[in-house]
Amino acid sequence: MRYEPITWGRLAGRLGAHLDRATSRDGSDWLKVGLDGPPAAPGGELAANLAEQLTARGRAVHVVATDGFLRPASLRYEHGKQDPDAYYGDWVDTGALWREVFTPLEPGGTGRVLPDLWDPARDRATRSPYVTLPPGGVLIVHGPFLLGHWFPFDLTVHLRLSPAALARRTEKAWTLPAFDRYATEVDPAGTADVVVRADDPRHPAWTGIDR
């Protein structure tokens, strides 16, 4: 896989230009973007930069972090607080993401998206009001393990860290086997539309938008 050096700003600009010309794969009035990567990768920052680029182009944007759709602690920690398999498959409420985020943006949908559902720090519902994304708007979802769920993304970007970089920059070392499993079962680097090498956050490199 060939990578070309790029800055984060140029990357967001190139992605924004691509999305501004794109149409949804499911025929809906909204574009859906998935920024996939471990917490050690700057997915949230890239989401914010991309949102700024799209807003400057006159597009309405809504950003959703999967951390806002975690299951309650009683379910996340059912097998202990450091179970990598639970972290991989049971922490995020994918059903709620489908119901509250993706289904409203299907063809004929209402466009009413829930920004978040659960506050993991307080372990209680956030009770956030719904946000209406108008036709022509763009949804950006960022977080780990986004691929492999059949989410209806129109563009997927995988922020890739080598095993050494991931181990060095991951605060919760017990989660590392989950990323090994994800790489084996899903192959995000081979599945995503765009791959960004983020071993050194100061010097990213990418595969380009049409590989």
Side-chain angles (χ1 to χ4, degrees):
M1 189 178 297
R2 292 186 58 185
Y3 291 93
E4 298 177 0
I6 195 169
T7 65
W8 292 110
R10 285 181 54 222
L11 173 63
R14 293 285 296 274
L15 294 175
H18 172 83
L19 290 165
D20 203 32
R21 300 188 301 266
T23 57
S24 65
R25 293 174 179 172
D26 62 5
S28 73
D29 293 325
W30 301 272
L31 291 173
K32 283 80 70 176
V33 182
L35 302 183
D36 172 70
E45 293 88 339
L46 179 57
N49 289 340
L50 179 55
E52 289 181 4
Q53 290 285 337
L54 290 166
T55 300
R57 292 173 177 271
R59 306 294 289 265
V61 183
H62 184 64
V63 178
V64 169
T66 59
D67 279 354
F69 284 84
L70 296 182
R71 290 189 169 95
S74 60
L75 298 177
R76 299 199 312 273
Y77 301 147
E78 184 177 3
H79 302 289
K81 292 187 175 182
Q82 296 187 358
D83 186 296
D85 289 327
Y87 177 71
Y88 176 66
D90 298 330
W91 275 38
V92 174
D93 191 340
T94 56
L97 279 172
W98 272 106
R99 182 178 66 252
E100 304 291 356
V101 177
F102 292 109
T103 297
L105 303 183
E106 291 178 346
T110 63
R112 294 179 70 246
V113 175
L114 191 64
D116 47 51
L117 181 66
W118 199 259
D119 182 343
R122 296 185 296 170
D123 199 34
R124 57 186 293 184
T126 57
R127 303 187 185 278
S128 297
Y130 284 87
V131 173
T132 298
L133 190 62
V138 181
L139 170 75
I140 302 174
V141 180
H142 66 91
F145 313 132
L146 282 181
L147 307 180
H149 295 290
W150 299 103
F151 289 144
F153 291 124
D154 299 296
L155 177 68
T156 53
V157 180
H158 174 62
L159 302 182
R160 179 181 181 273
L161 273 70
S162 68
L166 182 63
R168 185 171 62 251
R169 292 167 51 190
T170 296
E171 294 182 0
K172 299 176 180 178
W174 62 268
T175 65
L176 292 173
F179 295 102
D180 290 339
R181 179 179 170 187
Y182 183 53
T184 299
E185 295 184 359
V186 178
D187 183 23
T191 302
D193 299 310
V194 176
V195 180
V196 180
R197 189 175 61 197
D199 287 359
D200 183 344
R202 299 167 299 176
H203 302 290
W206 76 325
T207 56
I209 198 70
D210 296 310
R211 55 183 189 119

